[in-house]
Amino acid sequence: MRDVRVEETERGPSITNGQVTVRVHLNRGTFDVLDADGRAIIADAAASVSITNGPAFTTRGAGLGLSGTNDVRDAQGDGLALVLLRDGDEHEPDLCVTVTLYPDQQFVVIQADVQNTSPGPIRIREFRPLDRARLDLGVPTATCRFYKHGWQSWSPTIVLDCAGEDVPASPPVVGPGTQPQPASGRFVSDLVTAVVDPASGRGAVAGFISAADQFSHVWLDTEPGEITAASYADGVEVARAGTLASERLAIDVSGPPITALERYGDALGREMDALPFDSVASGWCSWYHYFQGISEDEAIANLDYLAEHRDAIPVDLVQIDDGYQSEIGDWLTTNEKFPHGMKWLADRIHERGFKAGPWVAPFLAGAKSQLFGEHPDWFVKYSTGQPAIATVNWNQPCFALDLTHPEVQAWAANVFRTVLDDWGYDYVKIDFIFAAAVDGERHDPNVTRAQAYRRGLEIVREAAGGRFVLACGNPMGPSVGLVDAARIGPDVAPYWHPFDRGAPRPPMSDPAAINSIRNTLTRYWMHGRLWQNDPDCLLVRATDTALAGDEVRALATVIGLTGGMVLDSDKLPPLTPERRDIISLLLPVYGRSATPLDLFETTDLPSLLRLELPTHTLLAVFNWDDASGEREVPLPEGSWHVFELWEEEYLGVKSGSLVLPVPPHGCRLLRLTPDAGRPQVVGSTLHILQGALEIATEDWDGKKLRVTLRPVAKKDGAVYVTGEDGVRKVDIRDLTSERTIEAS
Ligand code: 9PG
């Protein structure tokens, strides 16, 4: 525990906890953020506020005065805040900047707030707690990497080369107005970014740790190397003498940026009361084989298969995706493919011992729906009075419901009460929920888009109680604390690359295995900090798919090593035993995520995943190229027995690094076991973690090696042990109860 100290100098106050320091220049109206070595990584930062259809007020040049210091106690700890007030004219609103440090946190938190000193109300458009701060990593910004975080589940999250160009936000933000102007050399991220010098490994993470009220962006202008962070008040009114604050921005300039990004995730989770969980969900989902063609009969056929193969596929949940409802918006009536209705289906699922969950897109309604026909006034409106379109899908425009409207709130509460209480579902996937956050006019004019969205989520949460809510198509920040799980990437698909629609670059938010894999890797840090990550479904089938065997292995490796939900979405009855084994290999779900070691070193997708386990380390190496190639795999310090899972091959004792051929879109998954110089387990093919779950104990008494195995989903496989005469494969058959094997 360190102290937070404030020191006053002629220039202005400095606040420090020994790890991070903020130095204020009162006359200039700016501040610097210094790392533990005293380097000003962020320099000459201002804060500002802009009034809707009015002027902006910045601290830069106006000057700041020290109002005082406050002890604070909040989600981040017991901290000390420096409160600074912009020197302004009498007729200008008061702009206040609060800089908070905590003894045990390496980041500083900056918040801007405004007090309305005018006689009438004012409307606030946008806060910039960090406005055009110089970023100094000791290298030209153009040589850096920019972590671009997407605005909702399906939006690409990707590491970009700052010498190149930004990629447009996709799917496009519905309703313009609060995007920074596109500019040459400008890179824009939603909620959080990291800017990293790949050569030195140094970087800065800047992200909002509160997100319930305002959407936010952080952007970098590579020329001249400036970073800005804004949170959007969307024009809400502040009465005379009233105040309004920005969201809280954390800036972290210490140590490896990947750990700073993880610390950011911890802070966001704490601030937003992320929901805890004991275990990670697993199940079967109808979408990626049947799509809207799912029927009651097909659902039952797969359900029967799951019940019959419970040992091999021990999942909890059966998720009936899009395709049962009579229309988008009419959730309580089914179409002709579900003649017995959804309660009947929930009962059948429960009879066989599974949890049941339907898909619902509760915050929009299609033009063809009865809901829209009967209540055209329940929707967010453009200024023309026309209903706002959230998306065009299902062959119709779909309009955004106004979740600030009391009748809409009552309708939504009734939908979820019916689904969860009357029909008895245990789980719900709520999809396309960004619709509640579109820009436009609402019944309650004084809420932000983020607040309207959260009202919708709160209704779902209240109806759900402790039941499981999976968000999809969700803006990320304002979802934290209200959902148990969130989709963190675009749709997977039974093909690798997205369909090229003649676009200059591949559409990264469209369905494709590679698109879903990208976000699963780049948003790994959210899992267990904000919710359970849903990486989207595993697809293992060999027919009705364009995915090659190596692509299936890569998808399984990414899902299996990042700790999130495991939902298979194949037509189960025709699966071959070999392909079914790949589902088994991921069960039970281990639940902790590996780290993408080279996240900020490469651009686009990282290709090295490492997961440290009590007895061994897993290292996955991927080849994202379309051609096979060799990959160099750096081994940690020491000598290691190396075993590769997918080709089931023991590669010997190695140190330093290893060069491996890797097939296109494929991977190698290595178990590294520290060489103990005596008989030991070096591999297992019973689970993707290769021993972490199925090997209960391993004892060497000087003569014999005794290994106790615990059943996992895969019942047949092999354990590899070293002995005097090299490595031996011990075949394991029918592992349905605990068993001890011996070797010498
Ligand atoms: C059901 C699907 C599945 C899937 C969801 C979501 O932009 N679009 O047109 C678009 C269509 C479908 C889609 C995402 C975007 O997929 O992610 O898991 O539930 O809806 O319709």
Side-chain angles (χ1 to χ4, degrees):
M1 173 100 178
R2 303 172 200 227
D3 285 336
V4 180
R5 301 183 309 278
V6 174
E7 190 187 308
E8 292 201 41
T9 71
E10 216 128 286
R11 182 208 68 242
S14 288
I15 183 167
T16 185
N17 62 6
Q19 303 168 85
V20 57
T21 302
V22 174
R23 185 168 70 189
V24 181
H25 304 271
L26 291 175
N27 282 340
R28 301 215 293 252
T30 64
F31 58 91
D32 310 327
V33 182
L34 284 63
D35 69 6
D37 300 323
R39 288 179 294 223
I41 306 291
I42 301 274
D44 213 26
S48 68
V49 62
S50 46
I51 309 296
T52 302
N53 302 321
F57 300 95
T58 172
T59 60
R60 189 186 308 280
L64 284 163
L66 176 61
S67 295
T69 56
N70 287 335
D71 288 327
V72 297
R73 167 168 290 191
D74 60 35
Q76 307 305 331
D78 291 340
L80 188 67
L82 202 59
V83 183
L84 304 157
L85 187 64
R86 175 178 177 271
D87 297 329
D89 291 346
E90 223 172 283
H91 61 273
E92 293 175 343
D94 280 346
L95 174 61
C96 189
V97 184
T98 306
V99 176
T100 309
L101 259 69
Y102 302 87
D104 299 318
Q105 308 291 0
Q106 303 198 26
F107 50 77
V108 51
V109 176
I110 314 278
Q111 187 171 36
D113 65 89
V114 72
Q115 178 163 29
N116 180 7
T117 51
S118 64
I122 55 172
R123 289 183 175 276
I124 306 300
R125 177 192 139 88
E126 168 182 341
F127 290 102
R128 294 184 180 177
L130 193 73
D131 196 355
R132 289 182 39 220
R134 212 165 56 240
L135 177 68
D136 185 3
L137 294 171
V139 293
T141 317
T143 67
C144 291
R145 297 290 148 81
F146 181 84
Y147 178 77
K148 181 186 183 74
H149 178 250
W151 73 282
Q152 56 120 310
S153 307
W154 308 325
S155 311
T157 293
I158 181 171
V159 175
L160 297 169
D161 183 343
C162 293
E165 275 182 23
D166 197 2
V167 294
S170 69
V173 175
V174 187
T178 47
Q179 291 270 45
Q181 291 294 318
S184 141
R186 176 166 289 176
F187 290 80
V188 182
S189 189
D190 193 278
L191 191 66
V192 59
T193 189
V195 183
V196 179
D197 166 24
S200 67
R202 280 169 47 199
V205 168
F208 287 91
I209 56 172
S210 65
D213 298 310
Q214 296 167 18
F215 284 113
S216 58
H217 283 124
V218 186
W219 65 90
L220 174 72
D221 288 299
T222 52
E223 272 316 315
E226 285 176 349
I227 189 163
T228 298
S231 71
Y232 305 110
D234 294 349
V236 298
E237 200 173 275
V238 182
R240 180 176 164 240
T243 62
L244 187 73
S246 75
E247 296 290 10
R248 283 164 36 94
L249 177 75
I251 301 174
D252 197 327
V253 294
S254 306
I258 198 152
T259 39
L261 186 59
E262 292 174 0
R263 282 196 295 269
Y264 164 75
D266 289 329
L268 177 61
R270 281 194 295 268
E271 191 90 10
M272 299 286 289
D273 287 325
L275 299 177
F277 56 87
D278 298 328
S279 62
V280 175
S282 61
W284 179 81
C285 161
S286 60
W287 182 250
Y288 297 94
H289 177 88
Y290 294 99
F291 302 96
Q292 279 202 296
I294 185 64
S295 66
E296 192 178 280
D297 290 344
E298 291 294 333
I300 295 287
N302 284 280
L303 176 62
D304 285 341
Y305 183 94
L306 283 173
E308 214 172 294
H309 298 85
R310 209 181 290 276
D311 271 5
I313 313 180
V315 293
D316 316 320
L317 167 83
V318 172
Q319 183 187 297
I320 308 299
D321 214 286
D322 184 2
Y324 67 88
Q325 71 284 351
S326 57
E327 250 316 332
I328 299 297
D330 302 333
W331 306 109
L332 302 183
T333 45
T334 47
N335 59 45
E336 66 294 340
K337 294 184 281 102
F338 288 77
H340 293 94
M342 288 300 273
K343 179 177 184 330
W344 179 89
L345 188 55
D347 291 345
R348 302 290 83 72
I349 296 170
H350 287 152
E351 265 169 21
R352 290 163 179 80
F354 298 99
K355 289 187 174 158
W359 171 95
V360 182
F363 299 159
L364 50 70
K368 300 180 196 162
S369 68
Q370 198 179 339
L371 187 79
F372 179 70
E374 288 174 3
H375 302 285
D377 51 327
W378 279 8
F379 295 82
V380 180
K381 292 180 181 55
Y382 297 126
S383 53
T384 59
Q386 291 297 109
I389 297 175
T391 188
V392 179
N393 195 12
W394 306 283
N395 299 313
Q396 57 186 319
C398 296
F399 303 108
L401 278 159
D402 177 359
L403 270 300
T404 72
H405 194 303
E407 289 172 21
V408 177
Q409 295 172 347
W411 167 85
N414 182 57
V415 167
F416 287 98
R417 238 187 344 256
T418 306
V419 167
L420 295 161
D421 294 341
D422 300 352
W423 297 352
Y425 281 88
D426 313 278
Y427 165 112
V428 63
K429 172 178 177 180
I430 50 170
D431 202 353
F432 289 84
I433 56 176
F434 66 85
V438 305
D439 197 13
E441 293 175 7
R442 291 182 167 77
H443 176 83
D444 182 344
N446 223 28
V447 296
T448 63
R449 290 164 296 154
Q451 287 166 340
Y453 171 75
R454 270 182 82 90
R455 286 195 190 170
L457 280 190
E458 279 158 6
I459 291 163
V460 180
R461 175 43 67 199
E462 192 174 314
R467 286 167 290 202
F468 195 95
V469 177
L470 166 63
C472 186
N474 57 289
M476 307 309 278
S479 304
V480 183
L482 291 171
V483 300
D484 299 282
R487 261 285 290 288
I488 42 89
D491 289 16
V492 72
Y495 44 83
W496 189 257
H497 288 301
F499 289 125
D500 184 2
R501 294 178 180 160
R505 56 175 81 79
M508 288 188 293
S509 57
D510 281 9
I514 189 64
N515 284 349
S516 113
I517 285 173
R518 175 184 299 107
N519 275 34
T520 302
L521 294 172
T522 55
R523 281 182 170 155
Y524 80 97
W525 56 271
M526 295 183 162
H527 179 65
R529 295 189 170 90
L530 310 184
W531 45 52
Q532 304 183 20
N533 274 6
D534 172 5
D536 210 9
C537 297
L538 179 66
L539 305 177
V540 301
R541 58 189 179 261
T543 53
D544 288 316
T545 182
L547 290 176
D550 283 314
E551 296 171 335
V552 169
R553 289 171 169 190
L555 179 65
T557 303
V558 168
I559 295 173
L561 258 56
T562 46
M565 293 170 63
V566 174
L567 296 177
D568 181 74
S569 192
D570 289 299
K571 179 176 184 171
L572 296 171
L575 285 186
T576 61
E578 293 72 33
R579 291 303 177 101
R580 196 186 68 202
D581 271 353
I582 300 178
I583 309 176
S584 304
L585 206 51
L586 270 64
L587 297 169
V589 184
Y590 182 68
R592 259 183 51 214
S593 180
T595 309
L597 294 181
D598 55 341
L599 180 64
F600 297 122
E601 276 152 41
T602 53
T603 51
D604 198 354
L605 288 112
S607 58
L608 271 180
L609 267 184
R610 186 181 67 199
L611 180 58
E612 315 249 12
L613 296 163
T615 58
H616 57 280
T617 295
L618 294 179
L619 205 51
V621 57
F622 298 89
N623 174 8
W624 304 124
D625 294 346
D626 297 337
S628 61
E630 299 205 314
R631 290 291 177 272
E632 187 174 337
V633 188
L635 301 180
E637 203 58 25
S639 335
W640 305 86
H641 290 283
V642 181
F643 180 82
E644 203 285 321
L645 179 73
W646 293 112
E647 295 295 316
E648 205 173 328
E649 191 184 357
Y650 174 70
L651 302 174
V653 177
K654 307 279 176 190
S655 50
S657 74
L658 216 77
V659 176
L660 295 173
V662 188
H665 309 166
C667 72
R668 290 288 170 257
L669 176 50
L670 307 177
R671 173 181 156 132
L672 308 179
T673 313
D675 181 12
R678 47 131 178 109
Q680 60 185 136
V681 173
V682 294
S684 162
T685 67
L686 292 160
H687 190 277
I688 195 152
L689 298 192
Q690 302 175 55
L693 297 174
E694 71 276 31
I695 299 183
T697 61
E698 180 182 345
D699 290 309
W700 167 249
D701 65 5
K703 286 193 187 117
K704 268 202 168 3
L705 178 70
R706 268 190 201 83
V707 181
T708 317
L709 297 174
R710 232 182 341 230
V712 280
K714 199 159 165 271
K715 302 295 184 276
D716 301 319
V719 170
Y720 286 75
V721 293
T722 56
E724 277 180 4
D725 42 358
V727 165
R728 195 156 70 82
K729 173 180 181 179
V730 183
D731 279 312
I732 308 292
R733 292 283 164 261
D734 199 27
L735 181 67
T736 49
S737 57
E738 197 166 287
R739 172 181 315 174
T740 302
I741 55 172
E742 292 194 345
S744 51

